[in-house]
Every structure is written in C-alpha cells, then in structure tokens.
Amino acid sequence: AQSVTQPDIHITVSEGASLELRCNYSYGATPYLFWYVQSPGQGLQLLLKYFSGDTLVQGIKGFEAEFKRSQSSFNLRKPSVHWSDAAEYFCAVGDPGGGNKLTFGTGTQLKVEL
Amino acid sequence: NAGVTQTPKFQVLKTGQSMTLQCAQDMNHEYMSWYRQDPGMGLRLIHYSVGAGITDQGEVPNGYNVSRSTTEDFPLRLLSAAPSQTSVYFCASSRRLSSGANVLTFGAGSRLTVL
C-alpha cells in the first residue's frame, strides 16, 4: 500500500526566509504527486502536481517542488516566505492507474514570524 | 462557477442520530469522494464514486453510506452517529486528465460534532 510521510509537524520561519517542507512516499513505482495547502477554516487548494517529465515543477504562489526518485521524495520549496503563507501543507500521492484515491500525509503546519 | 458545494458547514448531533452531509459539484466531474480530516492524521478516504450509480469503499468506510444517483450529487449518510465520527468532512471531485491522473477540487468542509 502506498504511504506518505511528512516528518515535520510544525515549522516556523521568519518572513522573507526560505522554506522547505519535506515529503517522502512509499510506492511500488513512480506515483502522481501533489502538494495542497489549507488555510484555517478553508478547504484544500492545489499548489502543484507532478505526473512525469521535468522533475522540478512550478506551482502557484511562488512554490516549487522537486521529485527525486532515488530518495522517494517530493519536497516543497519557496525562496522567500510571506506572512500569508502561514497555513497547513499536505503532500499526497495518487495511483497512476487512475481513480481519485489520493493518500495524504499528516500535514505540516507552517507559522510565519514577522 | 460554484465548484464543490458542501452543506451544512457546521452540525452538532447526539449519539445515535442520523444525518446526511450534502455535496454537489457543477463541473461535470466523473469522480467524487469523501474524506475526513482529524488532527495529526491528515485526510482519510471514506467512500468514492467513479460515476453515477457506482460507489466503492475507501480507507475508513464503517458507519457511513453513500449513493450516486446523479453526476452532480454525492451525499454522505451517517446512520447512527458516534463520537468517533466527530471530524471535519471534505467532499472532492475530479476529472480525468489525458495522462490518467486526477486533480481533486475540494469543498470548504463540514465540521461535525457528535456528543
């Protein structure tokens, strides 16, 4: 069965600092990979996705993620964090065989200090 | 475009009561699904549907029923609520991209408390 690990439950960064959120997955082949963001009291919004091809993918709000097959990782990065980036971030994997069954990590809560 | 609409946003039930969480999408998406979100556990799949008349169980289906009579609607029924079903519930829908992957669009969530 596929699984997703987000090892950092909470992360605090200063506004303007760089950010990296870690995500590791377990899957028999290369899955489809996603990062979602959830602001307080809101639903989840897709930040970016990886299906195939270029391993560095660009998303919305200045985020990017890099797929590293050898490390089974899909870490999310942003070069300069804004206070509005404070939210919970979820990594998810999907089965390339189809269907909408995503497996989510437990999430990383990001706090931004002004 | 309304996207995915969930009602109600908040609900308090007593143990043993029944209720239905409503979910509707106006994007003509084939796939619809229900997740529950609990602190420290991320989102877990309850039930999903690949089209009208077709449903299947996810990771945590016990205590929940679903049906899919139309493409637009995918209600989640709690037949006899238990305190363990206190959670935030998210409905999501998706279309099939040419690559075979599905990108989920989420509703705003329904917060359920069972006393």
Side-chain angles (χ1 to χ4, degrees):
Chain A
Q2 58 200 39
S3 65
V4 180
T5 301
Q6 293 181 246
D8 303 305
I9 299 174
H10 300 279
I11 283 185
T12 300
V13 299
S14 299
E15 189 174 39
S18 63
L19 172 70
E20 183 170 28
L21 302 183
R22 295 182 290 167
C23 172
N24 292 95
Y25 66 89
S26 174
Y27 189 74
T30 299
Y32 292 141
L33 296 159
F34 306 84
W35 275 100
Y36 282 86
V37 60
Q38 183 182 30
S39 297
Q42 303 297 313
L44 279 75
Q45 181 184 23
L46 180 70
L47 281 178
L48 47 78
K49 60 188 181 293
Y50 173 78
F51 294 158
S52 64
D54 192 347
T55 57
L56 184 63
V57 294
Q58 302 296 321
I60 62 172
K61 304 185 181 186
F63 285 92
E64 66 178 27
E66 185 172 12
F67 167 60
K68 292 185 176 180
R69 186 190 310 273
S70 61
Q71 299 177 17
S72 297
S73 69
F74 189 57
N75 294 348
L76 182 71
R77 300 193 296 250
K78 187 170 185 178
S80 178
V81 170
H82 188 263
W83 65 265
S84 61
D85 293 324
E88 189 158 21
Y89 292 79
F90 292 94
C91 181
V93 300
D95 183 351
N100 62 344
K101 293 185 291 181
L102 294 191
T103 299
F104 285 83
T106 53
T108 297
Q109 187 73 46
L110 174 65
K111 179 181 177 181
V112 179
E113 291 183 331
L114 301 177
Chain B
N1 261 344
V4 178
T5 302
Q6 292 183 233
T7 56
K9 291 188 184 302
F10 302 95
Q11 183 72 49
V12 178
L13 290 178
K14 294 181 179 178
T15 296
Q17 286 185 317
S18 62
M19 77 156 300
T20 299
L21 299 177
Q22 301 291 345
C23 176
Q25 54 91 9
D26 61 358
M27 298 170 283
N28 201 32
H29 284 174
E30 286 182 288
Y31 300 114
M32 297 186 74
S33 52
W34 279 101
Y35 289 82
R36 60 177 289 173
Q37 183 180 26
D38 302 292
M41 303 191 74
L43 281 80
R44 293 178 292 168
L45 181 64
I46 305 172
H47 285 285
Y48 67 98
S49 168
V50 299
I54 305 170
T55 64
D56 206 346
Q57 296 181 351
E59 180 184 356
V60 288
N62 292 342
Y64 307 95
N65 280 352
V66 292
S67 60
R68 183 96 180 269
S69 56
T70 67
T71 300
E72 295 78 19
D73 301 299
F74 191 45
L76 179 71
R77 299 182 183 85
L78 285 70
L79 299 179
S80 179
S84 61
Q85 294 178 302
T86 293
S87 187
V88 181
Y89 292 85
F90 287 98
C91 180
S93 71
S94 62
R95 59 185 173 88
R96 179 178 285 278
L97 301 178
S98 59
S99 64
N102 298 292
V103 177
L104 297 183
T105 299
F106 283 85
S110 297
R111 183 176 294 274
L112 175 66
T113 300
V114 183
L115 302 176

